[in-house]
Amino acid sequence: MPISDVSGRKVWQLRSRNEQLARWAMWLVGVAIFMWCWQRISEATTWVFVWDAPRIAADMGARAWPPRWSYMSELWVPLWDTLNIATLGTLLAIIAAVPVAFLAARNTTPSALFVRPVALFIIVSSRSINSLIWALLLVSIIGPGVLSGLLAIALRSIGFCAKLLYEAIEEIDPKQVEAVTATGASRWQVMAYGIVPQILPAFAGVTVFRWDINLRESTVLGLVGAGGIGLQLKSSLDVLAWPQVALILIIILLAVLLSEWVSARVRGAII
């Protein structure tokens, strides 16, 4: 933006004076908010424990090493439960998310005034509640166990999968749909031959990606009684069995790395 200096010559600047003042004012407000938040956090923090944290962490690490490898025989069943929670929970979520996605997409919903808002409300409700909260509620309703964890993963994943799928549906090429419609195909045939083939890569990618996330989340659901290897972790933490805790954390890390490898291979095959 050209401005004039004292001698009357034009000088080019990236921003005008008002824009620069506005940016500095925004920075000033941001720093003030940060300092206020830091003050509130400092007042609520017991700094003695913070300064002593490195020593405590080192002591816990010394107690946890070496891991108790003999405890591995107790982890195979909980690990299998965790895998089932993640896999079956993802499967249930996908089954529920597909119709919700078609009802939420503008180009496939039967009613943009009534049906679409309901589908969007389902998506938002599912995504706004964490899986641990779902697990706490379900443990209170149907009791502790794998079923509570499975349903918690499914309820949490419906909104995630449905949101990505309905966005993929809205981004399809309408020319293919028009071509299938021009042949006299019914509404279901148009959906099967004009829409579904276009969203299959997105569908597969979302499924694998969500399964990868669910495997991570299912490892901690046992902390609230929803089964899986997290239940063994909680039991070991309760009795301060640090070598067992170390082994469980190693197993969780290996499971997550395996899920990363599987999901990367599947996504690579799809793309």
Side-chain angles (χ1 to χ4, degrees):
M1 177 176 294
I3 60 174
S4 299
D5 60 6
V6 178
S7 61
R9 294 178 303 176
K10 289 185 176 180
V11 179
W12 289 88
Q13 291 186 350
L14 180 61
R15 302 178 182 89
S16 66
R17 179 178 301 173
N18 292 336
E19 291 175 341
Q20 290 179 343
L21 291 175
R23 288 177 65 86
W24 279 110
M26 292 176 60
W27 276 104
L28 180 61
V29 172
V31 171
I33 293 174
F34 173 81
M35 294 303 297
W36 179 79
C37 294
W38 178 256
Q39 183 180 2
R40 296 297 300 271
I41 294 172
S42 298
E43 293 173 354
T45 301
T46 305
W47 289 103
V48 174
F49 292 105
V50 175
W51 306 135
D52 197 41
R55 184 188 64 80
I56 296 175
D59 180 65
M60 290 175 56
R63 294 172 183 269
W65 195 264
R68 185 171 297 164
W69 302 107
S70 60
Y71 189 66
M72 188 64 206
S73 59
E74 303 291 331
L75 298 181
W76 290 115
V77 173
L79 187 61
W80 178 249
D81 290 340
T82 298
L83 180 61
N84 285 331
I85 289 173
T87 305
L88 296 179
T90 304
L91 180 61
L92 289 177
I94 287 294
I95 292 174
V98 169
V100 172
F102 276 97
L103 296 176
R106 291 186 179 89
N107 51 344
T108 57
T109 183
S111 173
L113 185 61
F114 298 105
V115 178
R116 187 169 188 268
V118 174
L120 292 177
F121 176 76
I122 294 173
I123 293 174
V124 173
S125 300
S126 171
R127 295 175 63 240
S128 61
I129 302 177
N130 190 271
S131 57
L132 278 175
I133 306 300
W134 281 118
L136 281 170
L137 294 173
L138 290 166
V139 166
S140 301
I141 295 172
I142 63 178
V146 175
L147 181 60
S148 297
L150 191 154
L151 294 178
I153 289 293
L155 291 173
R156 176 74 170 100
S157 304
I158 289 173
F160 178 92
C161 297
K163 177 177 174 59
L164 295 181
L165 286 176
Y166 94 74
E167 290 176 352
I169 294 171
E170 291 181 344
E171 294 172 358
I172 62 173
D173 184 4
K175 295 181 179 179
Q176 296 187 33
V177 178
E178 293 174 1
V180 176
T181 305
T183 64
S186 64
R187 182 183 182 91
W188 293 105
Q189 289 174 327
V190 170
M191 186 178 298
Y193 297 102
I195 298 177
V196 172
Q198 296 190 62
I199 66 170
L200 275 180
F203 173 81
V206 168
T207 302
V208 175
F209 184 44
R210 188 63 217 185
W211 175 79
D212 185 23
I213 296 174
N214 287 342
L215 187 60
R216 304 163 191 264
E217 293 189 353
S218 61
T219 58
V220 297
L221 292 184
L223 296 176
V224 295
I229 199 170
L231 189 60
Q232 302 298 120
L233 178 60
K234 183 178 185 301
S235 300
S236 299
L237 287 171
D238 288 342
V239 298
L240 303 181
W242 300 115
Q244 295 177 189
V245 172
L247 177 62
I248 294 172
L249 293 179
I250 291 173
I251 295 302
I252 292 175
L253 175 62
L254 292 177
V256 170
L257 291 176
L258 179 62
S259 70
E260 280 283 346
W261 180 78
V262 171
S263 61
R265 292 294 299 269
V266 173
R267 285 197 297 268
I270 295 171
I271 297 174

